[in-house]
Amino acid sequence: MTHSPFSLLPISFPRSNWQQACELAPLFNELVDRVSLDGEFLQESLSRTKEADVFTRRLLDIHSKMLEINKREEIRLGLHRSDYMLDAQTNSLLQVELNTISTSSIAPGCIVSELHRNLINQNGKLLGLDSGNIPRNNNVSQYAEALAKAWIEYNNSRAVILAVVQADEHNMYDQLWLLSILKERYGVTVIRKTLTEIDADAVLLPDGTLLVGDREVAVVYFRAGYTPRDYPSESEWRARLLMEQSSAVKCPSISYHLVGTKKIQQELAKPNVLERFIENEDDIEKLRKCFAGLWDLDDSNAVKNAIKRPELFVIKPQREGGGNNIYGDDVRETLLKLEKERSEERAAYILMQRIFPFTAPACLVRDGSCHQVNSVSEVGIFGAYLRNKEKVIMNDECGYLIRTKGSTANEGGVISGYAVIDIIYLT
Ligand code: ADP
Ligand code: HGS
């Protein structure tokens, strides 16, 4: 047991870029929902990736099965987070990635914002800071509201929410904080099960009802299932398919999950692709403006540039959870290897422009000790989208997660051990 790592004081961030990031949340929510409905786009865009990456293929196979049975998800719930870095060179807000599954570290973000507000209220004059410049962060409440509203839309007060979790979960208090609000504020019972347990305990009735034990499941909330490590055998894949086939609301559905892959991020950045999904020209402009450079490894020009200047690029596999990317000279080595082999393996990766944010001094507290470092930060804005058929019930920006790490660190992520939870101070 240890405390969530946190920064002692907030990072400064321009108010204009903050507003830009918050404005993008409902736009990305809507984009995820639109892309999720285009099964052909998802299958086509991921068709080569699935030949090179088994995990993507297994997810896409479940998606194919849903297309074959013409499965409709009438109630759709997305709990997303779009992560950005402010590129120092161009002073532009660039999206690192869009997470559509198991977006976490919700509660610590809320608690650290109260810690910083308190510290500044006590020492504001000394520090020359005003806690009024720390945006409210009630992300946990908004996520609980979204899950509760999806449960209400399912319309069976005896049904439960099933949280799909990892057996060795280290971040469980982040989850329990959210689940306890669901119980106390909305009277919703949440049961936590691993995919292995679900394969053993769950039953799919002919009418699509999902039962776990003797409880009917209204909403399946994934806090696992985003990494191959969560599928050690066929048992876990059986559980994923069973839940997908059910009439329970999946958060996320297999389609929402696939929209959040890095390959789809790269495809959506291609010219004229957003126009397939979004009508409003201004919205398209706002979305496109935050796209960093993104290429597949068949783009010989981009690959040539990356071999010449590997430090300006990142190679990404189709993985979530932090710790999976390729940086620096390894970018060149990987590209040369894949070029030589001209292997299909290239389709498992995307190439991305490396973003260099502003650096700033920070005091990072990890395992009870404080380290003063030169740091860089990543700004994540949570979003919640709930829809029942044609009715959009929620499409909100839901608070934030700031992650700060040493400026020399390539990878990021709190649970993966690189970054700490931070807060934002608007300037
Ligand atoms: P994951 O889904 O595993 O979290 P990400 O794409 O979010 O993978 O990358 C993990 C971390 O790597 C990010 O939190 C960030 O710190 C760093 N990172 C990823 N992409 C870039 C990039 N284009 N430029 C700079 N840093 C990046
Ligand atoms: C949980 N065990 C994420 N989620 O949002 N990371 C960080 O807590 O439920 O560690 O940087 C799972 C990714 C932000 C916090 C962990 C997106 C997880 O790693 C889930 S997929």
Side-chain angles (χ1 to χ4, degrees):
M1 175 83 77
T2 182
H3 65 80
S4 289
F6 61 94
S7 174
L8 266 188
L9 283 171
I11 54 147
S12 299
F13 195 78
R15 194 177 293 276
S16 58
N17 295 116
W18 172 256
Q19 275 151 359
Q20 178 192 0
C22 292
E23 253 180 51
L24 282 165
L27 302 188
F28 275 112
N29 285 346
E30 190 65 48
L31 179 63
V32 169
D33 192 58
R34 299 287 180 86
V35 176
S36 76
L37 297 175
D38 191 335
E40 190 192 318
F41 173 78
L42 290 173
Q43 288 287 333
E44 174 51 36
S45 301
L46 293 164
S47 58
R48 295 185 48 238
T49 309
K50 81 171 185 183
E51 299 311 320
D53 179 51
V54 173
F55 181 60
T56 303
R57 180 163 57 76
R58 296 302 301 263
L59 295 173
L60 210 58
D61 286 350
I62 293 175
H63 180 255
S64 303
K65 287 191 175 67
M66 294 308 110
L67 292 179
E68 280 155 29
I69 63 173
N70 202 18
K71 180 79 166 57
R72 287 265 175 277
E73 301 300 333
E74 292 185 341
I75 306 172
R76 302 195 288 270
L77 172 63
L79 296 179
H80 308 139
R81 194 189 68 249
S82 184
D83 295 330
Y84 305 93
M85 285 178 161
L86 188 55
D87 183 62
Q89 214 162 358
T90 58
N91 209 18
S92 54
L93 189 79
L94 295 179
Q95 185 183 53
V96 172
E97 72 153 345
L98 176 64
N99 295 283
T100 59
I101 182 168
S102 297
T103 53
S104 75
S105 295
I106 312 155
C110 299
I111 299 166
V112 178
S113 67
E114 290 317 304
L115 166 73
H116 285 191
R117 201 187 307 284
N118 189 282
L119 281 175
I120 290 173
N121 284 340
Q122 287 177 4
N123 306 285
K125 289 196 181 28
L126 176 74
L127 296 166
L129 299 174
D130 166 9
S131 67
N133 291 321
I134 295 179
R136 287 276 169 217
N137 194 4
N138 52 6
N139 167 240
V140 187
S141 300
Q142 290 176 282
Y143 260 29
E145 181 192 0
L147 283 160
K149 283 185 172 172
W151 177 80
I152 291 165
E153 288 302 311
Y154 183 83
N155 198 20
N156 173 344
S157 58
R158 289 186 313 286
V160 298
I161 291 181
L162 170 63
V164 185
V165 297
Q166 290 156 336
D168 58 345
E169 181 54 72
H170 301 290
N171 187 34
M172 63 191 300
Y173 295 100
D174 181 25
Q175 298 173 6
L176 294 180
W177 186 290
L178 175 63
L179 307 187
S180 61
I181 292 177
L182 278 165
K183 186 67 185 171
E184 288 155 23
R185 199 175 297 172
Y186 299 98
V188 181
T189 298
V190 183
I191 51 179
R192 298 173 82 244
K193 293 257 179 197
T194 63
L195 284 166
T196 316
E197 290 165 336
I198 292 164
D199 182 44
D201 302 346
V203 169
L204 182 62
L205 299 184
D207 69 351
T209 303
L210 179 66
L211 294 180
V212 174
D214 60 351
R215 306 302 300 266
E216 179 169 344
V217 175
V219 179
V220 179
Y221 173 42
F222 286 93
R223 290 296 294 257
Y226 54 87
T227 169
R229 287 194 298 277
D230 291 337
Y231 302 84
S233 73
E234 282 309 305
S235 163
E236 291 74 27
W237 285 112
R238 268 199 310 272
R240 181 74 192 262
L241 176 60
L242 189 88
M243 292 186 284
E244 202 60 39
Q245 289 167 319
S246 79
S247 56
V249 180
K250 272 74 69 180
C251 177
S253 65
I254 192 71
S255 303
Y256 271 37
H257 183 170
L258 290 168
V259 173
T261 58
K262 293 172 173 60
K263 179 63 186 170
I264 295 298
Q265 177 184 2
Q266 175 252 305
E267 286 297 313
L268 290 173
K270 282 182 176 174
N272 307 315
V273 175
L274 287 181
E275 282 73 6
R276 286 179 56 167
F277 302 104
I278 304 284
E279 294 82 30
N280 183 303
E281 292 290 315
D282 292 344
D283 291 350
I284 290 174
E285 161 63 27
K286 285 175 186 160
L287 288 163
R288 196 163 273 150
K289 189 176 168 203
C290 77
F291 288 166
L294 287 153
W295 306 271
D296 66 33
L297 299 195
D298 287 336
D299 185 318
S300 51
N301 190 38
V303 169
K304 191 158 50 57
N305 291 339
I307 288 170
K308 216 179 326 175
R309 299 291 307 276
E311 71 282 4
L312 301 182
F313 295 84
V314 184
I315 293 180
K316 298 190 173 184
Q318 307 308 311
R319 293 292 179 270
E320 300 297 328
N324 303 297
N325 299 333
I326 298 169
Y327 301 87
D329 285 345
D330 293 345
V331 166
R332 175 190 291 126
E333 299 317 312
T334 304
L335 291 174
L336 289 172
K337 182 169 92 52
L338 291 172
E339 277 299 281
K340 192 158 51 58
E341 292 161 7
R342 289 211 59 76
S343 68
E344 269 314 294
E345 197 196 335
R346 288 180 304 165
Y349 301 95
I350 66 160
L351 183 64
M352 185 173 183
Q353 165 196 349
R354 175 145 189 185
I355 308 164
F356 295 93
F358 291 98
T359 61
C363 305
L364 311 185
V365 182
R366 186 183 287 281
D367 294 334
S369 62
C370 185
H371 312 271
Q372 177 126 7
V373 298
N374 210 20
S375 71
V376 292
S377 297
E378 187 169 350
V379 174
I381 305 290
F382 289 100
Y385 188 83
L386 175 63
R387 183 177 189 129
N388 190 343
K389 300 192 190 72
E390 289 325 301
K391 192 164 148 245
V392 177
I393 298 154
M394 271 180 93
N395 183 9
D396 300 335
E397 169 258 312
C398 296
Y400 56 92
L401 169 68
I402 313 299
R403 293 177 287 177
T404 294
K405 62 181 185 180
S407 55
T408 55
N410 287 328
E411 262 302 326
V414 175
I415 296 163
S416 49
Y418 300 89
V420 305
I421 309 270
D422 204 340
I423 291 306
I424 211 153
Y425 188 89
L426 298 179
T427 54

